[in-house]
Amino acid sequence: MVGACALLIAAAVALAALQATSAQTPPSGAELEWVNQDEDWIERKKHGEFRARPIFNQRLATLYYGLRDSDTGEWLTAMYRVSGGEKERDEGWEYEFDYPALDEHEAIDPDKTYLMVMLAASARQPTPTTFYAVVPLHQPGGLLGSLLRALDPDGWAKAAAGWVIEGVHGTLCGVLTALTAEEPRSCRDEE
């Protein structure tokens, strides 16, 4: 009888520990992803302000952002809550917000980069996920700005690298299609 009680108590303790462990893991499908993090999704203006359009794989319950100095890490702003402005896209949910040049905002230099910290949570997620992005330098528009960007060696290197990657990808897709007589899924042009 004592042995059975000990086994019953051990099973209850193990069940409680298992429940505590499973409560720490988010439910299936709750992982939040930032879809367009590798794209140019921040449009910087000439007076320092910007417009951001991050896309997440789920509709968010909350989204906050704040700015830090990219050199010192010092916080320049409080965390601002993004309210409204969401649109459903094919890739997920886009959230559009501005950082305007207003008196109550910290003035930011258009010729300096900043670190944006975003706290995002979906309805199925118990705690927010932190995402980091760089607020880029202002790129002047118009004909003169286009000419200056065309003369930038970094831009040329980026374009050349893109062409090389696309060429290698196309060649590999052609070889794999010829060998397997079927076009691989990663080679299909799905839009």
Side-chain angles (χ1 to χ4, degrees):
M1 178 84 170
V2 173
C5 287
L7 284 175
L8 188 59
I9 290 172
V13 168
L15 182 61
L18 178 63
Q19 287 175 341
T21 303
S22 63
Q24 300 298 320
T25 59
S28 177
E31 187 173 338
L32 188 60
E33 294 178 20
W34 177 15
V35 176
N36 65 338
Q37 68 181 7
D38 294 331
E39 301 171 15
D40 294 331
W41 57 276
I42 298 179
E43 178 187 350
R44 192 76 187 269
K45 310 289 178 141
K46 65 180 177 178
H47 295 295
E49 66 269 24
F50 61 82
R51 174 167 288 164
R53 294 183 184 96
I55 300 175
F56 295 94
N57 66 334
Q58 301 173 31
R59 188 171 194 167
L60 301 180
T62 57
L63 175 61
Y64 292 90
Y65 78 94
L67 296 181
R68 298 181 84 163
D69 186 286
S70 59
D71 296 326
T72 65
E74 176 186 346
W75 283 97
L76 300 176
T77 68
M79 295 297 284
Y80 296 111
R81 182 182 176 123
V82 176
S83 181
E86 67 265 12
K87 296 176 190 161
E88 188 171 13
R89 303 282 186 205
D90 291 340
E91 316 82 50
W93 286 86
E94 178 185 85
Y95 289 82
E96 183 176 328
F97 55 92
D98 292 315
Y99 186 84
L102 300 174
D103 290 341
E104 60 267 19
H105 287 104
E106 177 81 22
I108 58 176
D109 184 356
D111 296 322
K112 182 173 173 27
T113 59
Y114 295 90
L115 179 65
M116 181 189 294
V117 180
M118 291 185 290
L119 295 175
S122 66
R124 298 181 288 174
Q125 188 178 12
T127 57
T129 303
T130 305
F131 298 98
Y132 299 95
V134 174
V135 178
L137 300 174
H138 167 66
Q139 298 290 332
L143 181 59
L144 179 60
S146 298
L147 287 173
L148 291 174
R149 282 194 302 277
L151 296 174
D152 180 21
D154 289 337
W156 289 8
K158 187 176 181 180
W163 294 331
V164 168
I165 290 169
E166 286 180 23
V168 169
H169 181 260
T171 303
L172 289 175
C173 284
V175 169
L176 287 173
T177 302
L179 289 175
T180 62
E182 183 178 322
E183 186 177 32
R185 196 171 95 217
S186 64
C187 295
R188 295 184 195 126
D189 186 23
E190 299 174 353
E191 295 187 25

